[in-house]
Amino acid sequence: MLLTGTFHRSLDEKLRFAIPRPLRDAIGPDENATLYIAPGTDGSLEVYSEQAFTRLAAQLEAGPRNDREVRAFNRLFYGQVQRVELDKQGRVRLPAELAQLASLDKDIVLVGVRDHIEIWNFQRWEAYVDSTQPHYDELAERATPDFGGLPHSVNKVAGVGRTSGFTTSEG
């Protein structure tokens, strides 16, 4: 299950939104799937399938239980997680307290992020992309240190785009 892509959606008056078919297909075949909506980072919410949420819970369980910050995170995280059902039309009803937590209004953005979906306020997402996109190369190098960055980094290895230490056959 690999969740990818960015999708613009609207919340209706009942705080429902449709999960796009590519994301629903990646979540799994069950039309009435149980999903978990959790507080995310950077002002977003996170949506997990039951299987992905179980994996996340196992990872969190492996952390130091007696650490004050870990306890505080677990309380805030699990205390706000809400279990929801995907309806037959592929919609989810967003709990009002989570919509308020992420400052969600009518226009939202869904972002597939590997094993979960992030829900963003449209304006907050646009500001995040505007401030973060210029640093994509540095982020890619940090996120994928063993690979030397993402596939576009192959060009750097081959010398394309280098500013020092590279000469062309013309020069």
Side-chain angles (χ1 to χ4, degrees):
M1 167 176 68
L2 188 59
L3 300 167
T4 62
T6 301
F7 304 87
H8 296 268
R9 290 289 182 260
S10 294
L11 289 175
D12 70 12
E13 65 282 349
K14 295 180 182 178
L15 297 178
R16 293 177 303 192
F17 63 94
I19 295 180
R21 173 64 66 188
L23 294 176
R24 287 196 322 263
D25 290 346
I27 288 171
D30 187 6
E31 291 298 322
N32 294 316
T34 297
L35 301 173
Y36 292 86
I37 302 179
T41 56
D42 301 312
S44 69
L45 297 176
E46 297 176 347
V47 181
Y48 292 91
S49 68
E50 192 153 20
Q51 182 181 23
F53 192 72
T54 300
R55 281 194 309 271
L56 175 62
Q59 290 173 338
L60 292 174
E61 181 70 25
R65 295 178 62 101
N66 292 328
D67 182 281
R68 181 182 303 271
E69 290 177 347
V70 171
R71 287 193 319 267
F73 171 79
N74 282 328
R75 288 178 188 128
L76 290 172
F77 181 76
Y78 287 112
Q80 296 178 86
V81 171
Q82 300 254 354
R83 185 177 166 183
V84 297
E85 300 293 326
L86 187 65
D87 73 14
K88 292 178 183 179
Q89 288 135 349
R91 295 177 305 185
V92 170
R93 186 184 173 287
L94 189 61
E97 51 279 357
L98 289 175
Q100 183 178 3
L101 179 69
S103 302
L104 300 178
D105 51 26
K106 184 170 177 59
D107 296 319
I108 62 172
V109 177
L110 304 180
V111 182
V113 185
R114 193 177 48 240
D115 67 342
H116 66 280
I117 301 166
E118 291 184 350
I119 307 172
W120 287 77
N121 168 291
F122 176 79
Q123 289 84 13
R124 184 178 280 166
W125 172 251
E126 292 292 311
Y128 178 81
V129 170
D130 288 346
S131 68
T132 309
Q133 187 68 44
H135 307 287
Y136 181 83
D137 287 345
E138 298 104 52
L139 295 169
E141 289 170 5
R142 186 172 175 113
T144 59
D146 296 338
F147 305 115
L150 294 176
H152 73 278
S153 297
V154 170
N155 291 335
K156 291 182 181 179
V157 172
V160 176
R162 284 192 176 184
T163 56
S164 62
F166 177 73
T167 58
T168 65
S169 58
E170 301 169 3

